[in-house]
Amino acid sequence: MIQLKNLLENNANRKVEPYTITAIIDSALCVGVGGSSGSLADKPIVRNAENNLLIPGSQIKGRVRHECEKLLRGLKWAISESPNAEKMVIRRDNAPAKFQRNEYEIPGYEHTYHCLISQVFGDPILPSRVIFDDLICTEDPENLPEIIRPGLTINRRRRTGEEKKLYFLETSPANAELKFQGQIHIQPTLTPERPDYAKVLIFAGLKQIYALGGSKSAGLGWLHWKLGELNNELINMNLKEIWQFLAKGEMK
């Protein structure tokens, strides 16, 4: 169990490094929210208290984690199964052989193994090293008109539209190249004797995300990233050492 007292003690002398990231939307964005917002849309777009469009940080973190899991599995690392809490925590007394390795041992957690993903993004026992802010649209909301886009639920088996299944989505303006900006906050590694791969992995994960929100197959939410601060940080790191560490995924 994660104890607040332990978190405060562990983080007291740990420097958190913030990095600004920017998502530039190439098409219309549809990140919907449930409930009524005064809009005519069945799925209004999510906004903050100041009426700015936003992309929730939890969505960014979840997508980045998923992409990083795919990258590390491709490098033959054993990755715990998220979001299943029971399978995310690997106890040492009954751990599969593929998890019984030094790279999965964390000081202060003598009874469990934690895969490389959990060491960055956290699990039910190990706190996350990274916090993702919501990405806030930099454009004044007064300049963004309400855009309503109709949709129809398709019965893929019958290849016809469903009766009484017309709906309306609220989206951002199309082709406006809106910028959504926020920060990633990264804490120092708990294992300083090993190469710190977190920034490299997060950078690679972000670069694998080409669309966010709903109706991506209909062309909504396509984007590209500006990661200047994080990219500059990687330039000053020993990338060769990090990639040599990540290349050790397959157990001999």
Side-chain angles (χ1 to χ4, degrees):
M1 180 181 297
I2 298 174
Q3 300 289 340
L4 178 59
K5 179 181 178 181
N6 294 339
L7 284 178
L8 295 175
E9 291 176 352
N10 292 337
N11 294 334
N13 298 317
R14 301 177 67 196
K15 181 181 178 182
V16 178
E17 298 177 290
Y19 298 93
T20 299
I21 63 173
T22 303
I24 302 176
I25 308 302
D26 298 318
S27 62
L29 177 69
C30 178
V31 179
V33 61
S36 174
S37 66
S39 171
L40 296 176
D42 299 295
K43 186 179 180 182
I45 198 167
V46 63
R47 301 173 184 268
N48 63 11
E50 298 177 345
N51 209 36
N52 298 104
L53 303 183
L54 66 85
I55 302 173
S58 58
Q59 181 176 137
I60 303 293
K61 183 179 180 181
R63 286 294 307 278
V64 172
R65 178 173 185 142
H66 179 66
E67 295 299 331
C68 291
E69 286 179 355
K70 292 194 294 185
L71 289 170
L72 289 184
R73 285 194 176 101
L75 293 171
K76 308 300 183 182
W77 288 93
I79 303 300
S80 55
E81 299 181 30
S82 61
N84 188 319
E86 294 181 356
K87 295 183 179 180
M88 289 177 69
V89 178
I90 310 299
R91 298 193 62 83
R92 296 194 188 185
D93 53 7
N94 61 352
K98 61 183 179 180
F99 284 97
Q100 298 177 18
R101 51 190 304 173
N102 294 333
E103 294 90 347
Y104 291 171
E105 296 178 0
I106 304 295
Y109 297 84
E110 285 75 19
H111 302 293
T112 51
Y113 290 112
H114 302 272
C115 71
L116 298 191
I117 291 294
S118 293
Q119 292 178 37
V120 176
F121 296 95
D123 60 32
I125 291 179
L126 186 67
S128 173
R129 283 183 57 196
V130 295
I131 297 174
F132 287 73
D133 289 346
D134 294 338
L135 301 188
I136 308 298
C137 181
T138 58
E139 184 65 41
D140 189 333
E142 296 294 331
N143 299 332
L144 300 176
E146 182 181 41
I147 306 296
I148 303 296
R149 178 178 176 132
L152 178 66
T153 301
I154 301 296
N155 186 318
R156 298 188 183 278
R157 181 177 60 84
R158 298 173 58 191
R159 299 183 181 180
T160 60
E162 293 278 16
E163 294 185 7
K164 300 181 181 180
K165 292 293 184 178
L166 177 67
Y167 58 87
F168 295 95
L169 303 175
E170 182 184 7
T171 73
S172 67
N175 305 317
E177 293 196 347
L178 296 179
K179 296 180 180 179
F180 288 73
Q181 194 169 84
Q183 288 188 322
I184 303 174
H185 307 269
I186 305 178
Q187 293 182 340
T189 178
L190 294 174
T191 55
E193 70 279 2
R194 304 173 197 157
D196 187 0
Y197 58 89
K199 296 168 189 174
V200 172
L201 197 61
I202 291 171
F203 183 88
L206 283 167
K207 285 294 188 178
Q208 292 298 312
I209 299 175
Y210 300 102
L212 287 170
S215 299
K216 292 184 285 293
S217 61
L220 299 184
W222 290 83
L223 55 80
H224 63 278
W225 298 93
K226 281 192 175 181
L227 308 172
E229 292 184 4
L230 195 53
N231 184 66
N232 292 337
E233 178 71 13
L234 298 187
I235 292 174
N236 299 320
M237 295 175 63
N238 188 345
L239 296 181
K240 181 178 180 180
E241 181 184 27
I242 293 172
W243 286 116
Q244 286 177 341
F245 172 78
L246 293 177
K248 298 190 299 181
E250 187 171 12
M251 297 183 67
K252 305 299 183 181

